Amino acid sequence: MARRIAAGAAYGGGSIGLLGAAAVGVLLAEVQLAKRQVGGGVAPVPPSADGRYGVAFAGPADPLRLGLLGDSTAAGQGVRRAGQTPGALLASGLAAVSERPVDLRNVAQPGAQSDDLERQVSLLLADTSRAPDVCVIMIGANDVTHRIPATQSVRCLTTAVRRLRTAGAEVVVGTCPDLGTIEPVYQPLRWLARRVSRQLAAAQTIGSVEQGGRTVSLGDLLGPEFEANPRELFGPDNYHPSAEGYATAAMAVLPTLCAALGLWPESERLDGARHADMLPVAKAASQAAKEAGTEVTGARAPWALLKQRRRRRLPAATEPHPHPESHGEPHGLPAGWPTGPRPAEQPAEDRPPVD
């Protein structure tokens, strides 16, 4: 099914139906029930984490430029300090591994669906003199909850990956999370949500890898942690991850981010202990969707390398430093980088049930 979705996205296919009319009716009823139970607090406006990290590593080498795109997960909704957002955690970790400063630019938008990636990519590439060296995309949950055709979602994502790769950036995609892990979601919605989100994640993997990107499956990465420590892993709005939750996700993405830039040691031998394997890309994508934290990297077509990298402990959360050339621009953004409006703080019941 993931192969069909990806092919439909590449060759202009239409919607691929995954659910019958009766199932959709049950699904929508369950969604309304979940909406009444998820949330109850107020989701704070994501703090801007744009700026420079790792200033202690300043030297003759130019800072690395990291771009973040996607939805509320990429934006860091649910925490109040910039240093607790995924972007800040990844930038700090990347600076520590590379021993170079890292300039972060986050254009992710809470509530965004995959069709918003075109706008976000344009923002990142507006200043060609400051094109990103590497980008992380986290997207897909809102496409599932808003019933966006999977072929359309994957087409938007692959176009974004292609544009960024053409601009010279490495790309790491955190695929659609497993929505069946959300506690207030009951059967049969839980089963349907898991099935649809995993199929989308696998199709995202196929499309991204074929465009030269790498993927990391987020899947049910936070599922066990949420179940064991719901108060610690949920944020103040009772839905979005807390600082600890975002740190867990960032630890899974950081090794692949570093490997994309050649900063992570690579072995020519497949490590069976870490479930490394060489598989056709569609099979690798399907396997990754089932195992959270799994990386898929393109090899010689039609093969892909499947592996689970050792997670690296993140450095202590740090706040961004203004970019030296920002000349007083807000949030320490580099000169010439466009800014976008942030959504106003809104009650949980006014937001989509899942982001």
Side-chain angles (χ1 to χ4, degrees), residues 89-90 92-93 246-251 254 312-317:
L89 294 169
L90 290 173
S92 298
Y246 281 127
T248 301
M251 280 193 292
L254 179 61
R312 184 184 181 97
R313 183 173 295 277
L314 297 170

Side-chain angles (χ1 to χ4, degrees), residues 11 54 71 92 107 118 137 153 157 257 262 304 309 311 324 331:
Y11 300 110
D71 54 26
S92 298
V107 295
E118 180 179 4
I137 303 175
S153 299
L157 175 61
L257 180 64
R309 295 185 181 273
R311 298 182 190 176
H331 311 307

Side-chain angles (χ1 to χ4, degrees), residues 188-199:
L189 176 59
R190 181 185 296 274
W191 180 86
L192 294 172
R194 171 163 291 158
R195 176 179 173 85
V196 175
S197 54
R198 284 187 176 183
Q199 286 180 345

Side-chain angles (χ1 to χ4, degrees), residues 31-353:
V31 165
Q32 295 305 315
L33 178 62
K35 284 176 69 175
R36 290 194 293 269
Q37 299 187 47
V38 173
V42 174
V45 176
S48 175
D50 292 346
R52 177 163 293 181
Y53 295 79
V55 293
F57 299 114
D62 291 334
L64 291 171
R65 292 185 289 271
L66 168 63
L68 223 67
L69 309 88
D71 54 26
S72 63
T73 303
Q77 190 157 20
V79 296
R80 298 185 181 278
R81 291 178 52 198
Q84 297 172 329
T85 62
L89 294 169
L90 290 173
S92 298
L94 182 57
V97 174
S98 65
E99 297 186 344
R100 291 171 59 181
V102 174
D103 288 338
L104 172 66
R105 171 67 165 129
N106 192 333
V107 295
Q109 182 74 27
Q113 300 166 24
S114 293
D115 58 3
D116 191 53
L117 289 176
E118 180 179 4
R119 179 191 66 83
Q120 295 181 25
V121 171
S122 296
L123 283 175
L124 277 182
L125 301 182
D127 185 352
T128 56
S129 66
R130 298 189 181 277
D133 297 301
V134 63
C135 293
V136 174
I137 303 175
M138 297 179 180
I139 199 80
N142 291 315
D143 296 68
V144 173
T145 60
H146 288 79
R147 294 182 294 154
I148 305 301
T151 50
Q152 178 181 331
S153 299
V154 175
R155 187 180 301 121
C156 292
L157 175 61
T158 54
T159 299
V161 174
R162 183 169 57 249
R163 289 181 63 191
L164 293 169
R165 294 289 291 138
T166 301
E170 299 291 339
V171 180
V172 176
V173 176
T175 56
C176 181
D178 184 347
L179 301 184
T181 61
I182 301 171
E183 186 175 348
V185 177
Y186 302 112
Q187 300 290 12
L189 176 59
R190 181 185 296 274
W191 180 86
L192 294 172
R194 171 163 291 158
R195 176 179 173 85
V196 175
S197 54
R198 284 187 176 183
Q199 286 180 345
L200 178 57
Q204 288 177 321
T205 296
I206 296 172
S208 300
V209 168
E210 290 181 344
Q211 295 300 325
R214 302 184 184 217
T215 64
V216 177
S217 59
L218 298 183
D220 59 353
L221 186 66
L222 298 179
E225 286 84 355
F226 275 131
E227 184 176 356
N229 301 292
R231 290 304 91 199
E232 288 75 22
L233 273 294
F234 276 115
D237 65 344
N238 297 326
Y239 178 74
H240 289 91
S242 65
E244 291 81 4
Y246 281 127
T248 301
M251 280 193 292
V253 175
L254 179 61
T256 301
L257 180 64
C258 295
L261 292 171
L263 302 172
W264 207 260
E266 298 280 4
S267 173
E268 296 182 359
R269 299 174 59 183
L270 296 179
D271 186 356
R274 297 211 158 268
H275 307 286
D277 202 354
M278 189 73 71
L279 298 172
V281 63
K283 289 187 176 181
S286 178
Q287 187 66 26
K290 299 175 184 176
E291 298 183 24
T294 302
E295 173 190 319
V296 179
T297 306
R300 185 171 61 253
W303 300 89
L305 180 61
L306 183 83
K307 65 171 64 176
Q308 286 192 330
R309 295 185 181 273
R310 188 181 303 277
R311 298 182 190 176
R312 184 184 181 97
R313 183 173 295 277
L314 297 170
T318 59
E319 300 299 311
H321 291 262
H323 190 283
E325 301 175 7
S326 63
H327 303 301
E329 294 190 25
H331 311 307
L333 282 113
W337 261 346
T339 59
R342 288 285 187 178
E345 190 172 277
Q346 51 184 333
E349 60 268 18
D350 293 338
R351 301 191 312 276

